[in-house]
Structures are given as structure tokens and as C-alpha cells.
Amino acid sequence: MQEGNETGDAGIRHPADAGRTVHALDARGTVRDWLISPAWGTPADDLDKYLATDGDPWGERGRWRLTNGPDVTPLKEELHRHRPLRRDPVTTPPLEGGPVRCTGPDGTEHTGTWRRVHTPADGLVDWSEFCFTPEYRTALAACVLEVDQAEWRTLRLAATGPVLLFVNGELVGESGTVTYMEPAEQAVRVWLPSGTSTVVVATWQVAFRECRHVVRLRVDGLPVRVVVPSEGACEHTSAVAERILDAVGVPRWGTPSGEVAITGPEGAALRVDGVGRTRRIRLTSGRATVRLDDGEHDEGHDSGRDDDHGTGSASMLSTGTTVLRIALDDDRSPVYREFPVAVLPRSYRAAPEGPLAERRAEFLRHAARADGTAGELARALADPAYQVTASGLSRALWMIDNRADCADFEAVGLLHLWHRIPPDRWEAGLRARVRDAILGFKFWIDQPGLDAMCYFTENHQLVWHTAELLWGSALAGDTFANTGWTGARHAAHARSMAVAWMRRKLAGGFSEFDSNAYLAIDLLALVTLVEYAEDEGVVQLAAGVADRVLFSLAANSWRGIHGCAHGRSYVSTLRSSRLEETAPIMWVCFGTGALNEAVLPAAAVATAVRYRMPDAIRHTAHHLPERWWGRQSYRGDYRPSHDLLARPYASDLTVYKTPDAMLSCVGDYRPGLPGLQEHIWGATLGPETQVYVTHAPNASTSPSARPNAWAGNRLLPRARQHEGTVLALYRIPGDDAMGYTHAWFPVAEFDEWLQYDVWTVGRKGDGYVALATEDGALLTDAGPEARQELRPRGPGTAWVCTVGRRALHGELGDFARTLGTPRFGPDRVGFRTPEGTELALSWDGPFTVDGRPADLTEDGTVAPVPQLDNPCARLEFTDATLTIAPPAPAGAAPHVIDLRWGRKVTGTEDA
């Protein structure tokens, strides 16, 4: 018997299929398989040539243009004109694993290695990244197109930044266009000779914070084959492997146990690379499992890493996400597929257990294992002999020194150490090092310096004002080098802005309504002001707004899950509530929630001396009656100098809760307009049992894509809720990049599920959720979202979601059979709820309940919108005070907040 050689045991490779893999275009003619270079970055250190470094930050040459968003496009295009892509083609034939060289626009010689990628369904080659400091980026993508007969083809090249297109070494197309999130497309007519033609795309970007860096190529006309040169590859073996891999799935994105299931064709031998190891598995009965952490998963601690979400700030969350690369276990096939998976924190509580003081102690023990300012604070408070270390503050000081985005969070974190830990308990020279860094820092857009720190979102605004006010007060007599101002002048500069921010939010609420990321950041700043501000007026305002934030969190969460609609959210938190930045705050304040790595805001609350959460708010969080119906509405105005917008904002949030399920919706929120990161509606039955629908603009799950496949919508739907039912309508343009809506419905997280008529129905515990769309939906059976994504069989432009309970609706099958078929039509949907209520929603008409417009009073006039209305509080927009009074027998005294001045801090509230 002949021994196997380096190509495997299947025999000798034929020369005709050696050294390459061959792939088809997708149904839209998209090239899905590429060789790509790294994204090479160099500091954007010449911005002072184009923008004024000091003086008025506004106007044509103002520093405001460094904010990231559509407004920055003209500046990026100007920067490219001054340092364009080199027009030199890549002369070395691309080869997987081979060297790649590129001369950057500034003459820097970049080197790297060609690596293979298979794009997701949107066809986008993606180098997107969150960049904390401004940088220029260059990247290359290459493939080979093969035709048997020479012919003209039209290549459609789409990118978010300037590109050069080379075919067989000739520059055939170029563009200097920059876009924010959606790529711009150009068409190029090219002659493809018989045989193979090498295509190279050179791309350029400049990164200010989130950097959407993508390119896509489509081929019009008769299909071509796509060749990826790869030494040692067998074309036939790779083709078989690709078909096997396209049937592989990971049916659970997140796992608290560290164990990941992999499904696919029976008997397939697979190689799994991830977390620094290679594992070989065999699919038995179409399934195998691998461990990501070898069982060494710390209680409450997030292991792994997230390559997308910015983890440079102590207040920002690492999701524990890693990427598994799965290939056929055959050296003749280099093709693979990638599957993002996450090890989730184990520590989650759905209901409080034991004294609240113990939950806080648990959190502080958890925080003491963290890096950064929060970890240093927790360690120093736990151990009187502990000294604050330079290594613990290295990342925070790097961010402040380099004016990296989110350095404002770090400046606030350092305030807690500065005030809480005596000078003799710092490593020698470290306190002076912090002082010097702060004295050289920039605290607002109107101060000198060119940077891409974010000043223009609601949460950053107050963090900046807090950092400037409190550091100015702490170093009142010192001169701050960046401005030449004294600390006292900085404090005065910030005070007026902080007070204005707090008064606006106290009276009208947040534009980033109920964000499960940014309510935590708001609370960080507010509690810090209560703790360290010397002005009693500032303290009272901060305490009042902090109370409102925590009351919102208490009223709009369910069993430790911040499961309501959100003004801004991210994919990981919509898949697991254990990863919400608000989860550790709930753990500290309510005894529910989860422990994760977003420790700084919760550490500020847990270690607070002056701020104490009122007892009535904790009782609100624990109040879970047989039926909770709540409304929360926010109204306010954007300001150009703070938001880069000048229009009103408004959101009308509804929340339905029972002991077994939660459903929430933000009604009629800008329907039909472009979305960003809004989570419009969703059902919650457990920390990973969340159900919702989005209109996907792309296939990305990166936070640098806003919106993306699962967080936000390309076009916002029209959605309305009545009790435990949501109706939602979507509009999908004819030229839509993806052309569909889809639902997150992770069946592995349910105890039981079924499909009946047009419904997909699931049970978790004693709670039910049912989701319907015209002609029903198919469960995806392969890929990273296997058995978690529902794709509509029909148009997918109308959905109905309703929740139920075993106590009211019997067994799951009984519940499904009571649902009936919704009435679907163009731009309309109607449904009779299990309780017998007739609901109807059309795109342009009123939302009706039993035939009557829901927004009208009994006398036919438009009903006033309450600012708050739930079992624990009722507030009109005209009211001067908010009274929080949980129903008896909660036993908590009512808590009153003055909506003009906040509330006094006496130190006697519940601890």
C-alpha cells in the first residue's frame, strides 16, 4: 500500500488542479473569495495643514470636522487629494501566504502576507476597525477571474473610500469618493482575455473613531470563475470542502459554559482553530462540541477577547468574543469558514438573593480582577496596604496623553482614585504623572488641539463636562498647559454646560433613550458629580438625574435584563443581556443582572459615599405583577454645538411585563427614515432568549458598522405595541443591498419550540413568544447564525410578535393554535390577539385597537402623551415633580424628584 504524502492520504495530486482553489460568484455576481493584505495604518499627523488647531472650532476649517459621520466626508476627500493612493500596481502575483508589499500615500513601505477571506452574504471585504486616534489606512484585495472565451464584462466596484482597480496590471478604474457607512459603486467596462486575469483593488481610508473600511466587486454578464492562488491546494478537494463547510453551523452564539456545539454533514472531519489552539473533531450524528476555555472559566469573569469593540476604556465592554476558523481536516484544502462565538459571564441573577450588601461585595471582588482604573479602585479599597500601580493606570494614561477617543471616560475614572486613595498609597511619582497628564489634556471641542475624540453624543457630553469641572476644581490653582487657563476657569467653563445638560435631561429625558450601553456612562458621570462636586446645586441636579436613570432602568428591565427598546445598542448585548453595560449596575443596585467587564460605572455606584439610590427605585425593580404596562416618553431638542443636529428628538417607549416574559417597542419612531443603532422592538424571555426583527443593511456584526446586520435598521420600521403584541411594518427598496428583513430567534435557548402555520413559537420556562410573517419563515440551518436566524419565505415587510404564559394560555401547542393567521397586505397588517383584541396597522393610517385609533381620546381628540405612566409613577410633561411610589406591600416610602432642581443629598437614602 502506498504511503500518503504531504497532500494527504487520498493519493497523488493531478497537476491540473494543483495550486489553486476555484469559486463561483454568488447569485448577484459578487466575488466572495479573495486574498487580502492587512490594513496598514499610519498616524494622521498632518491634520494641522487643513484645520485650525485653536480658535473658533466651527466653520469651514473648524476642528468640529474631525467628528466621525457623514459631515466629515468633504474633509476625508480633501485629505485623499493631498495624499492619494499610489498608482503603482502590485507586480508580484498574489499567492495565499505569500508576501505582499505596498507603498503608502506618504511613501511608507508596507509589507505583509496575503491571507484568504470568504466574505459574508453582503460580499464586502471588511477591514473595519475602531481607531482610538486618527490614522490613514491602506489595504489591498486580489483575486483572479477566469473565463474560457474572451469577452467584455462590467465590473461594479463598491467602496466606502477611494479605490484603484487594476486588471492584469493596468489601472482601469478609480474613485476618490468617501462615504460614511454604505459603499458607493462605480461601473467599469473591461476586456477579459481567455484564461485568467488578475484583479487587484487598492483601498484608502482615514479613520476617526469607528472606521467603515469595506470593498465589494460584482461582475455583470455571464458568470466567471474566481481563482485564489494557493500553493499546495487541490482544486477538487477544496471544492468538496467548500460544500461541506457551507453546511456547517454553530447554533449557539454565546455560551456561559465555554462549550460550543458545531453541526454539519455526518462524519465530516474538521479542523477548528481558535483561542490559540487547533482541535480536530469528527461530526457524529451531525454534531460535535469543543471547549473554548478548557473549563477554566472564572465565575463572573469574561474570558476571550473581542477584536471589534473598543476595549481601550475601562468603561467599555469586552464581549469575550473569539472567532473559530473551521476547515476540512485535509491539508489539500485551504478553504475555511469563520464563526464568532462568545464565552458569556456565568454570574447572572434573575431575582435578588440575600442582602444587597453582599451583591455589592461580590461586584467589588469581581471588579478587583479587572485591569484599569476600576480595578485599581476596587483593590485599593479592599486592601489598606495596596498601592495604586503605574501598570494599572498605563492604558488610561496612554489614552489621555494621546487624546484617544473615550479618554474622557478614563479621566473620570482617575477622579475616583485621586479623591478616594490617599497620596501615600500611590506608587512613587505616579500621582504626579496623573497630574501632569490631566494638566495637558483637552476637555472640550472649543479648546486647542486636533483629535477625533467624540464630543457629539449625549453620553460623552456629560462625561466631558464632569471631567473638566471636577479636575478643574481639584487643581484649581494650577495652569492647564493646553489652554493656559487655571483649573478654576476650567471648572467654571464646564459648570454651565453640565448644569444645562442635566436640566434638559431631568425635564425631558434622553435622545439615546434607554440605551443598554450609554445609560451606564450617563450614570458614571452623574454619580461622580454627586460624590465630588463642591457646588450643592450641581450635586442636587446630578442626584435627581441619576435617580431618573436608575428608575428608568428599574422600570424598563425584567429579571435583571435591560430588555426594552433602546436608542443605541450593540449586537452582543442584543444576543445576551449578560453583556449589557447596565448589567453590573443592576447587580449592585437591585441584586439582579450580571457581572461582566463593564466595571467602571458600576464601581462608581458601588463605592459611592454621598450618592445612595432611593429605596423606592429598588422596590420598583423588584415589582413584577401579573401584568405591568408602562409608557416612557422623551422629548428634547438637539443643539448644533453639542449634537451636530438642530431638530427636536422624541421617543415613546412601551413596556409590557409579566412574571414570564417582557415585550417592548418604541412606537412610530421615525418610520421609513435611515436608522443607526436603534433597537425598535423585542421580546425577552431570558438573558439569551431575545427575539426581534431588523432590516439588515449589511452582514456585519461589527460595532464599526452602524447600523449592521443585527443592531439597528437600514430603514426604520413603523411599529406599534398594544399590551403583549407588537405589529411592525418594514419598507425594503428595490435596490436594497441585502433585500430582506430577518429575525433573531435562537431556538437552542428555548426549552421548547415549534412552527405552526405562519408562526414560529417558543417557550422559555413558563413564558411564550410567537413570531409571524407572511408565508412564515425558515430557520437558517448553517453558518454563524445557524438555528438562530429566521428568514421570511414571503416579502418580510410585515411581522407580528406576541407573548403569552402557560398560566393563561395552557401548553405551548395550545397557545400556538389560539393565534390564528394575521391579515397581511401591502404596507399593512392586522391581528386578533389571544385575548380577542383586534389590532390593525398600516404604513400611512392610524394604529387601531378594536377599530378605534389608539392615539385618540374618547372625545376624538389627540391623546396627550405622558412622560411616564407605569405602576410606580405617573408624570405629565407639565408636572414639576416626579413621585416614585411602588404599590403596597412594597413598603418603600415614596421618593420625590424636583424636575427643575433635582433632589437634596442627605446620605440617608437606602444603601
Side-chain angles (χ1 to χ4, degrees), residues 274-464:
V275 200
R277 294 182 53 199
T278 297
R279 304 161 180 80
R280 286 177 164 81
I281 60 172
R282 188 77 177 268
L283 298 182
T284 303
S285 299
R287 188 180 181 91
T289 59
V290 298
R291 291 205 65 87
L292 297 184
D293 57 1
D294 297 324
E296 299 296 323
H297 188 53
D298 291 336
E299 180 70 13
H301 187 67
D302 208 3
S303 64
R305 61 189 294 269
D306 180 355
D307 294 323
D308 291 324
H309 202 323
T311 57
S313 169
S315 60
M316 296 178 72
L317 176 64
S318 170
T319 66
T321 303
T322 190
V323 175
L324 297 183
R325 178 176 291 187
I326 301 180
L328 201 67
D329 194 12
D330 190 318
D331 290 340
R332 296 170 297 173
S333 170
V335 299
Y336 62 86
R337 297 292 183 262
E338 290 187 331
F339 300 81
V341 292
V343 177
L344 302 175
R346 289 183 178 177
S347 294
Y348 161 74
R349 281 194 174 92
E353 301 173 14
L356 193 60
E358 178 55 28
R359 301 292 81 76
R360 292 180 180 175
E362 287 172 341
F363 166 77
L364 289 172
R365 290 194 293 271
H366 166 76
R369 297 198 296 266
D371 296 329
T373 53
E376 289 292 299
L377 180 65
R379 290 186 285 272
L381 292 176
D383 180 3
Y386 186 84
Q387 286 195 319
V388 181
T389 66
S391 60
L393 302 188
S394 60
R395 180 63 176 175
L397 290 172
W398 178 89
M399 294 184 74
I400 290 170
D401 289 342
N402 289 275
R403 300 185 182 178
D405 188 49
C406 299
D408 49 330
F409 300 163
E410 301 293 353
V412 170
L414 287 172
L415 276 162
H416 288 267
L417 285 167
W418 188 266
H419 287 286
R420 288 274 190 262
I421 311 304
D424 61 349
R425 293 183 53 202
W426 294 60
E427 286 185 354
L430 180 57
R431 199 168 169 94
R433 170 78 177 85
V434 170
R435 183 192 197 98
D436 290 344
I438 293 298
L439 290 175
F441 196 37
K442 174 183 175 182
F443 290 95
W444 191 240
I445 186 67
D446 60 2
Q447 296 165 21
L450 297 176
D451 56 80
M453 296 188 292
C454 181
Y455 307 95
F456 297 109
T457 59
E458 188 173 60
N459 66 92
H460 276 285
Q461 293 163 18
L462 186 64
V463 175
W464 280 118

Side-chain angles (χ1 to χ4, degrees), residues 31-342:
V31 176
R32 299 282 302 278
D33 297 273
W34 293 84
L35 295 177
I36 69 169
S37 76
W40 295 293
T42 58
D45 54 8
D46 61 344
L47 298 175
D48 58 346
K49 296 179 180 178
Y50 314 100
L51 299 172
T53 60
D54 56 13
D56 184 357
W58 307 102
E60 184 63 23
R61 294 295 169 186
R63 296 184 295 287
W64 74 274
R65 296 184 71 199
L66 283 174
T67 187
N68 201 31
D71 294 294
V72 81
T73 295
L75 173 63
K76 288 186 175 183
E77 291 179 342
E78 180 182 6
L79 293 173
H80 178 253
R81 288 193 297 271
H82 287 280
R83 47 191 304 157
L85 284 162
R86 298 290 180 116
R87 302 166 73 86
D88 304 323
V90 175
T91 56
T92 305
L95 176 70
E96 182 175 8
V100 56
R101 295 175 175 81
C102 175
T103 303
D106 62 351
T108 302
E109 294 294 328
H110 301 295
T111 61
T113 301
W114 289 110
R115 71 176 181 91
R116 172 188 298 268
V117 296
H118 176 77
T119 75
D122 57 12
L124 293 172
V125 179
D126 196 340
W127 297 272
S128 298
E129 187 175 0
F130 192 100
C131 299
F132 287 94
T133 56
E135 65 177 50
Y136 295 110
R137 295 161 59 85
T138 306
L140 303 174
C143 66
V144 175
L145 303 183
E146 183 177 69
V147 296
D148 289 347
Q149 298 176 346
E151 203 168 338
W152 288 97
R153 291 289 194 280
T154 296
L155 304 185
R156 296 191 178 276
L157 181 64
T160 49
V163 287
L164 299 176
L165 175 63
F166 299 93
V167 176
N168 292 326
E170 178 186 357
L171 179 62
V172 298
E174 61 182 305
S175 171
T177 300
V178 173
T179 63
Y180 177 48
M181 286 291 161
E182 294 202 354
E185 187 175 86
Q186 61 168 319
V188 181
R189 186 89 166 149
V190 299
W191 173 257
L192 297 182
S194 177
T196 59
S197 297
T198 298
V199 175
V200 175
V201 180
T203 74
W204 182 98
Q205 262 291 358
V206 59
F208 303 137
R209 307 178 64 243
E210 72 271 9
C211 179
R212 187 71 171 136
H213 189 171
V214 296
V215 67
R216 180 182 63 229
L217 183 67
R218 286 178 172 153
V219 183
D220 284 357
L222 292 173
V224 302
R225 300 213 297 173
V226 179
V227 176
V228 177
S230 180
E231 187 174 349
C234 169
E235 178 179 330
H236 170 71
T237 303
S238 298
V240 173
E242 191 162 37
R243 295 184 180 101
I244 297 295
L245 293 174
D246 281 341
V248 170
V250 173
R252 217 169 198 151
W253 169 81
T255 166
S257 70
E259 188 173 86
V260 174
I262 297 171
T263 61
E266 170 64 24
L270 303 176
R271 187 168 57 244
V272 183
D273 292 303
V275 200
R277 294 182 53 199
T278 297
R279 304 161 180 80
R280 286 177 164 81
I281 60 172
R282 188 77 177 268
L283 298 182
T284 303
S285 299
R287 188 180 181 91
T289 59
V290 298
R291 291 205 65 87
L292 297 184
D293 57 1
D294 297 324
E296 299 296 323
H297 188 53
D298 291 336
E299 180 70 13
H301 187 67
D302 208 3
S303 64
R305 61 189 294 269
D306 180 355
D307 294 323
D308 291 324
H309 202 323
T311 57
S313 169
S315 60
M316 296 178 72
L317 176 64
S318 170
T319 66
T321 303
T322 190
V323 175
L324 297 183
R325 178 176 291 187
I326 301 180
L328 201 67
D329 194 12
D330 190 318
D331 290 340
R332 296 170 297 173
S333 170
V335 299
Y336 62 86
R337 297 292 183 262
E338 290 187 331
F339 300 81
V341 292

Side-chain angles (χ1 to χ4, degrees), residues 425-747:
R425 293 183 53 202
W426 294 60
E427 286 185 354
L430 180 57
R431 199 168 169 94
R433 170 78 177 85
V434 170
R435 183 192 197 98
D436 290 344
I438 293 298
L439 290 175
F441 196 37
K442 174 183 175 182
F443 290 95
W444 191 240
I445 186 67
D446 60 2
Q447 296 165 21
L450 297 176
D451 56 80
M453 296 188 292
C454 181
Y455 307 95
F456 297 109
T457 59
E458 188 173 60
N459 66 92
H460 276 285
Q461 293 163 18
L462 186 64
V463 175
W464 280 118
H465 305 333
T466 299
E468 184 177 22
L469 171 58
L470 297 181
W471 276 115
S473 298
L475 306 176
D478 290 5
T479 299
F480 284 64
N482 186 54
T483 56
W485 298 355
T486 64
R489 182 175 174 185
H490 269 288
H493 174 264
R495 183 191 183 282
S496 61
M497 292 189 290
V499 167
W501 189 99
M502 290 188 289
R503 284 182 173 159
R504 293 162 68 85
K505 306 312 170 187
L506 190 58
F510 296 90
S511 61
E512 299 172 335
F513 57 89
D514 269 273
S515 171
N516 56 354
Y518 296 115
L519 277 191
I521 303 304
D522 298 330
L523 193 64
L524 166 65
L526 292 162
V527 171
T528 305
L529 286 171
V530 175
E531 293 298 293
Y532 309 121
E534 299 169 357
D535 185 321
E536 191 60 28
V538 169
V539 171
Q540 290 186 24
L541 278 170
V545 184
D547 291 350
R548 287 212 63 177
V549 167
L550 284 170
F551 179 65
S552 179
L553 186 56
N556 299 335
S557 61
W558 176 86
R559 298 195 179 280
I561 301 165
H562 193 185
C564 62
H566 307 298
R568 291 183 66 190
S569 195
Y570 294 90
V571 172
S572 59
T573 62
L574 297 175
R575 293 182 172 181
S576 173
S577 70
R578 300 172 200 255
L579 298 176
E580 294 175 318
E581 278 88 338
T582 48
I585 294 171
M586 288 192 283
W587 186 283
V588 168
C589 293
F590 310 148
T592 59
L595 296 180
N596 57 42
E597 291 187 356
V599 292
L600 181 55
V605 178
T607 61
V609 175
R610 299 191 70 193
Y611 181 78
R612 292 290 185 268
M613 181 186 69
D615 193 50
I617 295 177
R618 178 163 57 89
H619 282 277
T620 297
H622 297 164
H623 182 57
L624 190 55
E626 293 297 297
R627 171 195 173 274
W628 170 295
W629 176 253
R631 293 185 67 180
Q632 183 157 331
S633 300
Y634 292 142
R635 299 286 188 273
D637 291 300
Y638 289 115
R639 298 169 293 169
S641 60
H642 287 68
D643 305 296
L644 295 182
L645 287 172
R647 63 167 174 81
Y649 65 79
S651 59
D652 297 321
L653 183 75
T654 49
V655 173
Y656 175 80
K657 295 190 285 189
T658 73
D660 302 315
M662 175 179 182
L663 184 68
S664 178
C665 174
V666 56
D668 282 335
Y669 184 83
R670 300 173 61 78
L673 292 173
L676 191 63
Q677 294 175 270
E678 302 92 346
H679 179 55
I680 298 300
W681 66 268
T684 301
L685 283 78
E688 286 75 57
T689 316
Q690 303 189 58
V691 172
Y692 63 99
V693 172
T694 73
H695 172 198
N698 51 59
S700 175
T701 58
S702 166
S704 289
R706 305 178 180 187
N708 60 33
W710 292 104
N713 294 266
R714 184 173 187 241
L715 297 182
L716 292 163
R718 184 176 187 208
R720 290 297 298 266
Q721 179 177 2
H722 175 77
E723 296 283 329
T725 300
V726 165
L727 307 184
L729 298 172
Y730 296 79
R731 281 185 166 170
I732 305 174
D735 61 351
D736 196 73
M738 303 298 285
Y740 60 80
T741 61
H742 60 172
W744 185 254
F745 199 107
V747 299

Side-chain angles (χ1 to χ4, degrees), residues 797-816:
T797 54
W799 294 80
V800 178
C801 183
T802 192
V803 295
R805 307 177 62 195
R806 175 179 276 158
L808 295 179
H809 301 108
E811 297 304 312
L812 186 67
D814 300 328
F815 174 64

